[in-house]
Amino acid sequence: VQLQASGGGLVQAGGSLRLSCVISGPSKSRYAVSWFRQAPGKEREFVGGISRSGGNIDYADSLKGRFTISRDNTKSTVYMQMNNLKPEDTAVYYCAAKQTILSVSYIYTDTPEYNYWGQGTQVTVSS
């Protein structure tokens, strides 16, 4: 499985961006997908994730209400809409995938749980 993240860029505080993560390869619909981010000098942190069916979505507490994750399995793509962006949201954003069985909807928040990672897309929010 391969992941391709895109949609990052430079935006002013208060602006919006939509990130996309395209999943390619065999059995691509069997993967839960999460977004992580890593700011300079900081550890990679969980942003939010969506189960393989899309039935369960979870977010980091600090981001609830501003970020929205969705997926279109017909396009093998997971999206993250980011609104009201703040300078502290500046980071490289990564999507990551973990193969799960359909009955598992839990969203894992730790990086070692994920087997596959995209290359990252830079988000820069200016003040």
Side-chain angles (χ1 to χ4, degrees):
V1 169
Q2 292 183 327
L3 306 176
Q4 180 72 39
S6 63
L10 174 63
V11 64
Q12 289 187 333
S16 299
L17 285 173
R18 188 177 80 157
L19 305 185
S20 299
C21 177
V22 178
I23 310 161
S24 60
S27 304
K28 52 195 173 191
S29 64
R30 298 183 181 180
Y31 291 82
V33 175
S34 288
W35 291 94
F36 292 79
R37 68 184 184 183
Q38 188 166 19
K42 295 188 177 180
E43 292 187 353
R44 193 168 297 188
E45 64 174 354
F46 173 78
V47 175
I50 187 166
S51 61
R52 60 180 268 183
S53 69
N56 188 35
I57 304 170
D58 195 17
Y59 302 93
D61 288 341
S62 61
L63 299 173
K64 288 180 180 177
R66 294 196 297 125
F67 290 13
T68 303
I69 295 173
S70 61
R71 72 187 296 160
D72 184 344
N73 283 341
T74 66
K75 297 182 179 179
S76 301
T77 302
V78 173
Y79 304 97
M80 183 164 69
Q81 178 69 40
M82 306 186 296
N83 297 327
N84 190 23
L85 284 162
K86 304 176 181 181
E88 52 264 41
D89 294 318
T90 295
V92 177
Y93 284 71
Y94 299 89
C95 57
K98 176 182 175 63
Q99 188 169 2
T100 64
I101 58 175
L102 189 57
S103 60
V104 173
S105 60
Y106 179 78
I107 306 299
Y108 295 87
T109 61
D110 295 327
T111 55
E113 293 286 350
Y114 291 84
N115 311 100
Y116 304 97
W117 291 82
Q119 83 288 2
T121 185
Q122 176 71 47
V123 171
T124 303
V125 184
S126 62
S127 58

